[in-house]
Amino acid sequence: MLNILNLPIRLFVLCICLCSVVTACSRNSNSDPIDPAASTSNSTTTTTPTTNPPPPPPPPPPPSPPAPPPPPPPPPASVAVSVAPVSAAITTMQTQQFTATVTNATNKTVTWKVDGVAGGNANVGLISTSGLYTPPVQAGTHTVTATSVADTGKSANATVTVSIAVSSSYRGVLTYHNDNMRSGQNLQEKILTPANVNATTFGKLFSLPVDGAVYAQPLYVAGVSLGGQVRNVIIVATEHNSVYAFDADTYGAPLWQINFNDDKKNIAPVSSVDTNCADINPEIGITSTPVIDSATGILYVVAMTKENGAFAHRIHMLDIVTGKEKTGSGLKIEASVTGTSPPNNAGKLIFTSILENQRAALLLNNNVIYIGFGSFCDFGNHHGWLLAYDARNLNQLGAFSATPNGTEGGIWQSGGGPAADADGNIYIITGDGTFTADTAGKDYGNTFIKFSGPTLNVADYFTPFNQATLDAINGDLGSGAPLLLPDQSTGPKHLLVSAGKQGTIYMLNRDNMGKYQASGDSQIVQTIPKSNSLFGTPAYFKNTIYMAAVGDKLKAYTLSNGQIAQAAESTTSFNWPGATPVISANGENNGIVWLLRTNGSGSPALLHAYSAADVSIELYNSNLNPARDAPGAAVKFTVPTVMNGKVYAGTVGQVSVYGLLP
């Protein structure tokens, strides 16, 4: 029977045993797994209750450090600019498109400079906002720069090299006195020879009627596709402001004609009454010889007009194929330079058409048109002017006045044109006027002047020691025009020769012209004192210089070691105003010297031909058969044109054409 009294004790013991078992299990749970072999052993394991408290739980791990902040974003990429192409080579007649690329900027626009000039200018070339580069008229290398608008510190450069455009698309006599050196020679004449130029086999073939006096030398263009066929064309300009194109080989109506007058708009030639000068009468329109661009076939001509009572000179550009005016044609000539002389506006000498006679032939050189001005009978506050225009768009590139602080100094040269050398230098001769260049002044009366290009900066000059006397006696040095000679193998390499009203022949070194020396002219290459005035341009052929001064005979001067000496002369004398000779030859063979004897405007003109080898031999003159060969009423200072077996002589109201008789 269960002893109830012993029950609490038994329960207590049972509890202790249970606790021991639980403790052992708890320990085993924290130790390695029990070996199964041990569990089958007969050995007995006694578990003794522990008397130590359980170990404290391990401390919590330390808190994790805060996460590092994210790295800052990378700085934005800097703005960059590039230009394409990085280099280009073009001619003066081409344009070049540059493209700028801007990266790492929202604003992709750029500004453009040429050689540091925003937008460029006429001297370095122009560049548009879209990067289209238009070169200057001179050769050179230029830097084109594109700058970011978003970051003006970022830019890129490109290099453009500009060369002179050369073309021989058209050939013939395209300018006064045949070439820009004003030699007067045509060395491609294969038909006319000293053997067949005589009164029996040579004479006038026909005359081409025109509407006014022909002061300008006729121009000849070979092989023009016109009117459905290829023709040789003669271009004739008149004082009635007309320009004609004729078939050069056959009598007929004009192929085209253009006239710059307009009765409806009250535009007419200027009257000699308006100028108070009868030197050119009764009307003044186109006086100077035009010029033709061989590359483009554009003819440049200056016409003087009276427009509703006002006076103007205008530059016209004509297509020689159609006679139509080109875009921009008809530009009115305006100019000013710093100076104190009248006509004046706020310290600027103002070009005034009614005072200025555009007598000197036009010059086209390196895509620049040069235009010279003299006076009407030395009346009024006139000044010598030389202006330069871009032949492509008629932008004015330079303006020069010979006497901005003085008087006169006309550039007229008896119709002769400014001359140009292979380096682009320009040469003129001024007439009577103020001279102060020797004392740091800007007046160049009675002076040979060399310009360094279209900006018309004076590069050098020569003034005779007796310039004051020349001015006092109306002894215009500038009645003659400059002739540039070919490069010389001995002595000064680059020579220039001419004379004026005094008659003295001057030979100059173009590389060192001599400036002014009051004691005499010993600083120049050579002087030959003469008393016969020269009105015109000398001619050159085979080391010989030809001149026909007033009241003098045609003279030939041989050139040797930089000096000239008279070799021969004609038997015929030339009255006022003498004559300007031209040469025809087949290379160095069959040379002929041609001249028009005028005896002043209105008298019967005479055409003469001499042997270039010996000018004492006259081959022909039109008075040998006047009924057949008379050229017509003369125009002073006129020059014949010889090309392809024919001679063209401008007179009053017609051009007479000579050649081998049928």
Side-chain angles (χ1 to χ4, degrees), residues 271-434:
S271 167
S272 57
V273 175
D274 293 318
T275 63
N276 195 30
C277 174
D279 272 359
I280 303 173
N281 70 85
E283 59 185 2
I284 301 132
I286 301 169
T287 305
S288 69
T289 300
V291 66
I292 297 172
D293 188 337
S294 66
T296 63
I298 295 176
L299 178 138
Y300 298 86
V301 58
V302 173
M304 188 177 188
T305 49
K306 186 176 183 179
E307 305 172 359
N308 291 300
F311 301 95
H313 287 90
R314 294 186 182 273
I315 312 171
H316 297 271
M317 303 185 294
L318 306 181
D319 185 327
I320 63 170
V321 175
T322 64
K324 294 182 179 179
E325 298 210 51
K326 307 293 286 188
T327 301
S329 181
L331 175 74
K332 182 179 180 181
I333 291 178
E334 298 177 311
S336 65
V337 297
T338 300
T340 58
S341 294
N344 203 284
N345 182 15
K348 293 285 188 179
L349 174 65
I350 306 301
F351 175 88
T352 305
S353 280
I354 190 58
L355 301 176
E356 307 297 339
N357 181 6
Q358 208 286 286
R359 186 66 189 94
L362 304 190
L363 168 69
L364 171 62
N365 192 65
N366 293 345
N367 302 313
V368 179
I369 300 293
Y370 295 89
I371 307 172
F373 293 84
S375 69
F376 295 105
C377 295
D378 288 339
F379 292 153
N381 293 315
H382 68 90
H383 303 266
W385 287 87
L386 184 65
L387 306 177
Y389 290 87
D390 189 324
R392 299 164 302 183
N393 50 32
L394 297 186
N395 289 336
Q396 191 177 98
L397 303 177
F400 168 82
S401 173
T403 54
N405 302 315
T407 59
E408 300 184 329
I411 303 166
W412 60 291
Q413 302 180 164
S414 298
D421 64 21
D423 295 323
N425 299 305
I426 310 302
Y427 301 85
I428 63 166
I429 310 175
T430 64
D432 293 335
T434 307

Side-chain angles (χ1 to χ4, degrees), residues 574 595-599 604-608 621-624 631-632 634:
F574 290 80
L595 307 92
L596 273 171
R597 184 163 55 163
T598 63
N599 297 323
L606 288 173
L607 177 65
H608 290 265
N621 75 69
S622 57
N623 213 28
L624 295 174

Side-chain angles (χ1 to χ4, degrees), residues 5 60 129 131 182 196 229 253 270 282-283 329 381 519 526 568 570 622 653:
L5 293 174
T129 55
R182 309 307 189 187
N196 60 28
Q229 65 184 83
V270 175
E283 59 185 2
S329 181
N381 293 315
S519 60
Q526 185 182 16
S570 67
S622 57

Side-chain angles (χ1 to χ4, degrees), residues 184-186 189 192 582-586 589-594 642:
Q185 61 183 357
N186 163 28
E189 181 52 58
L192 300 178
V582 296
I583 311 294
S584 68
N586 184 7
N589 301 314
N590 296 328
I592 301 175
V593 184
W594 302 86
V642 186

Side-chain angles (χ1 to χ4, degrees), residues 191-205 592 594 619-620 624-625 628-629 645 658-662:
I191 298 175
L192 300 178
T193 71
N196 60 28
V197 174
N198 55 68
T200 302
T201 59
F202 177 88
K204 187 168 76 169
L205 302 176
I592 301 175
W594 302 86
L619 305 173
Y620 166 86
L624 295 174
N625 191 338
R628 181 191 68 192
D629 293 349
Y658 295 79
L660 298 181
L661 298 171

